[in-house]
Amino acid sequence: MEIKVIKNILEANEVIASQNKRLFEDKGVYVVNLMGSPGAGKTTLLEKTVKHLIDKKRIAVIEGDIATSRDAEKIAAHGVPTLQINTGGACHLDGNMVRGGLKEFNFENIDLLFVENVGNLVCPAEFRIGEDDKVMIISATEGDDKPLKYPLMFQVSSLLLLNKVDLLPYIDFDLERFRNDAIRVNPRLEILTISCRTGEGLDNWYRWLEEKINRKRD
Amino acid sequence: MHELAIAQSLLKIVEQEALPFRGARVTRIKLRIGKLSAVVPDALRFAFEVISQGGIAEGASLEIEEVPLRLRCHQCKEVFVVEGPFLICPHCEGLDVEMVSGRELEIKSMEIEDGN
């Protein structure tokens, strides 16, 4: 006997992600889901951003990793509430893992919650966690062919940060081609070029972020 | 790699749906998976095979229908099936498009056999 079901397989996650999102809406917290490969510069970007914004905005951070609490220790050293979630093998964070960590924060006193996802260019793209925006960071050294090889992550992201652009003179990275491919994969994608090492372009990123936070608070 | 998490969600739904049919066995599950979803069918099958062992869906086969990527072009006012991954109108090459299908991760139906 055949039974009709017709359900989104990830429905359970969608429900929890929506509950998380409602909580963030209530409290006026702007939430970024930061995704990218291992080594793209996620944690370094977070450190820079926390340092820059700490006097202006109230920030909290969730660090997702398969194992270790190294990243959380790095961020916590800057004096912001930080929670490490170890996925114990899972290649991505999901709504439920994030929900489990939310009680650790007092969202009355938070403007911005950064969630650093597990380093991975595929899996995190499929799982909503209740974020306002997915921000993707990719380093120039990963190659200019990534929009074609990993289109889904480009498609679900609002903003793409191309990091390590200070290395462009030394590598074969066709910025024009990369931009064109990224835009054709996701016509709504905003793209900023940055270098966390030299600081190039980071002001544009801070401005983008502050605008989003302010809009959410209003 | 996230196919394991997807298989777990799938198994939960299957078990829930089979609950009213006591003693039944699930033999086949039909899925619709969008062309742009990042799911590898073989990895999903393997994960499901492993986690369904010992339960009502042990040995069930996954029948996967790939849902094509369809874009609605707001300029041409038409829906096109495209290969992807570019979200461009194949007719006018414009970027003012909207995805109509291609991201599905759906269970459509399942076949159960009476246990009695």
Side-chain angles (χ1 to χ4, degrees), chain B residues 73-114:
Chain B
C73 174
H74 292 136
Q75 286 299 316
C76 303
K77 310 229 177 307
E78 229 181 295
V79 174
F80 299 98
V81 174
V82 298
E83 270 305 298
F86 291 142
L87 305 187
I88 304 178
C89 172
H91 187 67
C92 73
E93 298 193 344
L95 296 175
D96 187 13
V97 295
E98 175 194 338
M99 202 187 295
V100 180
S101 72
R103 285 285 316 275
E104 291 75 4
L105 266 183
E106 278 173 18
I107 170 168
K108 193 170 144 191
S109 66
M110 55 196 225
E111 188 81 37
I112 60 168
E113 252 168 36
D114 212 328

Side-chain angles (χ1 to χ4, degrees), chain A residues 1-13 66 89-92 94 120-127 147-152 155-156 180-188, chain B residues 1-3 5-7 9-10 13 16-18 21 28 30-33 36-39 44 69 74 85-88 95-99 103 105-113:
Chain A
M1 173 174 58
E2 189 174 27
I3 311 169
K4 287 251 173 291
V5 184
I6 313 194
K7 267 191 179 166
N8 177 353
I9 298 174
L10 294 181
E11 187 184 73
N13 186 62
I66 291 179
C91 46
H92 60 271
D94 64 25
N120 183 320
L121 222 43
V122 181
C123 315
E126 290 276 19
F127 298 86
L148 292 182
K149 286 194 170 170
Y150 301 90
L152 184 63
Q155 261 147 9
V156 298
N180 280 340
D181 283 353
I183 289 298
R184 288 196 294 164
V185 161
N186 177 4
R188 286 170 192 82
Chain B
M1 206 172 142
H2 60 308
E3 282 82 358
I6 292 171
S9 302
L10 174 63
I13 295 174
Q16 194 110 50
E17 295 290 330
F21 308 91
R28 196 162 46 150
K30 289 188 182 171
L31 306 177
R32 298 177 77 239
I33 295 187
L36 275 191
S37 74
V39 171
L44 182 61
L69 173 58
H74 292 136
F86 291 142
L87 305 187
I88 304 178
L95 296 175
D96 187 13
V97 295
E98 175 194 338
M99 202 187 295
R103 285 285 316 275
L105 266 183
E106 278 173 18
I107 170 168
K108 193 170 144 191
S109 66
M110 55 196 225
E111 188 81 37
I112 60 168
E113 252 168 36

